[in-house]
Amino acid sequence: MKILVLGGAGMVGQKLAQSIANGGLGDISIDELILHDIVEARSIKSDFKTRSLVGDIANNGEAIKLAELKADMIFHLAAIVSGEAETNFEKGWNTNARGSWQFLEALKQVHEATEGQYRPRLVFTSSIAVFGGPYPDKIGDEFLSAPQSSYGAQKAITELLVSDYSRKGFIDGISIRLPTVVVRPGKANLAASSFFSGIIREPLNGKEALLPVGTDVRHWHVSPRTAIGFLTHAANLDTSLLQGRLAINMPGISCTVAEQIEALRNIAGEDAVRLIKREPDDLVMRLVSGWPRDFDPQRALAMGFAADKSFEDIIRIYIEDDLDRSGQ
């Protein structure tokens, strides 16, 4: 099997690649792993062939080059993150929506050129940003998708494209709506949600962290390790179980910023907590105010997706997996 990871140089893409290199994908025999991104991905050691490709999925011609690789399994992680998609309207739509559509169209062309023989499994990483308020206490699997940000709209549109191209038989797709992934290693990115990681990561590295929102803000989280588990589980899932509803809410941990800070205090002590400094940011507060807070993801749980046990466990996973390699 040939595997293609779009967004393969990003944090999730690199962790996914390393997970595949270390343990494969269940009983699937892997021949080649290809990582594609706008920058070269870090090399991955494995028992099978790996390579990195550099290009922009939003550019004309890039999508057909990727489709012609005829990867059997595709993980679509490539995206402009939430904060940048909101402030750079054209870039967000070009990459997150037009880029995805171009790629699906290219897969369709290869499917038709092979007389239907080529039909790859595609796992698309969507987001809880596809939802907008007002919210119930917990968002169930029947709650409507009504995004209130450009990023959320772009993700929702790609979900619909994945569903329709799957319905027509061009691909075998599934969209998993990830919670916010924390604690992310390395430096903060342009995602509006990056502070959720920053207020844990920076103090654990002995650095000051800025908190742009109030401590009463509640949000839905998952560790990078568990997010990778979602992706690999989705890769092997029988999509007929989804009964045509190919976008599925992933389980997570719902907690307030105050509860995050308390978890940090329990693990790292008061000195770490003192490094968190409040610095209100109107744009971030506006975006966060429209985000989901809690879910009841019964479909995902019934299909074998499992969440982290607590936010303290999420912090411990960062310490175990990334603290010494965070690059700070």
Side-chain angles (χ1 to χ4, degrees):
M1 171 177 283
K2 182 185 294 185
I3 299 173
L4 171 63
V5 181
L6 303 179
M11 185 273 291
V12 175
Q14 287 283 285
K15 285 183 175 291
L16 173 62
Q18 192 61 63
S19 175
I20 294 171
N22 291 344
L25 279 175
D27 296 330
I28 296 173
S29 177
I30 301 170
D31 301 310
E32 184 177 15
L33 173 63
I34 304 168
L35 307 178
H36 177 272
D37 214 317
I38 57 173
V39 296
E40 188 166 0
R42 189 174 68 246
S43 61
I44 301 292
K45 292 183 179 179
S46 71
D47 294 334
F48 45 81
K49 181 181 178 182
T50 64
R51 57 179 167 138
S52 174
L53 299 177
V54 177
D56 188 345
I57 194 174
N59 289 342
N60 292 334
E62 189 70 16
I64 192 62
K65 291 178 185 177
L66 292 170
E68 287 176 345
L69 294 170
K70 295 182 182 176
D72 306 285
M73 177 78 66
I74 301 167
F75 294 94
H76 183 356
L77 317 179
I80 299 302
V81 295
S82 56
E84 189 175 9
E86 193 67 20
T87 57
N88 193 330
F89 186 82
E90 184 174 356
K91 185 177 182 181
W93 279 99
N94 278 340
T95 298
N96 295 349
R98 293 190 188 96
S100 295
W101 194 0
Q102 285 176 173
F103 181 60
L104 289 168
E105 269 294 293
L107 293 176
K108 170 178 171 288
Q109 289 178 34
V110 177
H111 171 87
E112 292 173 339
T114 59
E115 298 182 344
Q117 295 301 305
Y118 177 63
R119 182 174 177 258
R121 166 61 63 90
L122 185 143
V123 180
F124 171 60
T125 52
S126 188
S127 166
I128 58 174
V130 301
F131 297 108
Y135 298 113
D137 290 340
K138 288 189 176 184
I139 293 173
D141 293 319
E142 308 303 321
F143 192 69
L144 81 163
S145 171
Q148 296 178 0
S149 68
S150 293
Y151 178 76
Q154 293 149 13
K155 289 290 188 178
I157 283 171
T158 304
E159 284 185 3
L160 291 172
L161 290 169
V162 169
S163 292
D164 203 38
Y165 280 64
S166 295
R167 182 181 65 84
K168 299 295 286 185
F170 306 134
I171 62 170
D172 177 17
I174 178 173
S175 298
I176 60 172
R177 293 166 175 161
L178 289 179
T180 291
V181 179
V182 294
V183 175
R184 302 178 71 96
K187 297 180 180 180
N189 61 19
L190 295 175
S193 60
S194 65
F195 72 89
F196 286 120
S197 286
I199 61 173
I200 305 299
R201 179 187 62 240
E202 310 299 2
L204 287 174
N205 284 278
K207 297 184 177 183
E208 184 176 283
L210 300 180
L211 176 60
V213 302
T215 57
D216 60 339
V217 168
R218 177 175 289 278
H219 198 54
W220 189 240
H221 303 283
V222 68
S223 69
R225 186 191 296 176
T226 299
I228 299 309
F230 292 165
L231 287 162
T232 56
H233 186 65
N236 290 288
L237 190 69
D238 179 0
T239 52
S240 68
L241 298 174
L242 298 172
Q243 298 181 308
R245 295 172 58 198
L246 302 184
I248 184 168
N249 303 331
M250 292 293 100
I253 295 293
S254 176
C255 65
T256 64
V257 169
E259 289 167 338
Q260 280 188 266
I261 294 171
E262 186 60 25
L264 177 65
R265 180 180 285 111
N266 292 340
I267 290 174
E270 195 62 39
D271 287 345
V273 171
R274 288 195 189 99
L275 290 169
I276 301 172
K277 309 298 181 184
R278 182 77 192 279
E279 187 174 286
D281 184 305
D282 290 340
L283 174 61
V284 174
M285 286 191 286
R286 178 173 61 81
L287 288 172
V288 170
S289 68
W291 289 351
R293 300 169 181 86
D294 201 355
F295 285 79
D296 183 21
Q298 291 301 312
R299 292 180 74 217
L301 294 172
M303 293 177 191
F305 294 95
D308 301 287
K309 291 184 170 64
S310 68
F311 199 84
E312 286 189 13
D313 278 354
I314 288 178
I315 296 176
R316 291 188 185 99
I317 286 172
Y318 169 74
I319 293 170
E320 292 171 10
D321 292 357
D322 294 302
L323 181 58
D324 293 335
R325 298 178 296 280
S326 65
Q328 297 199 18

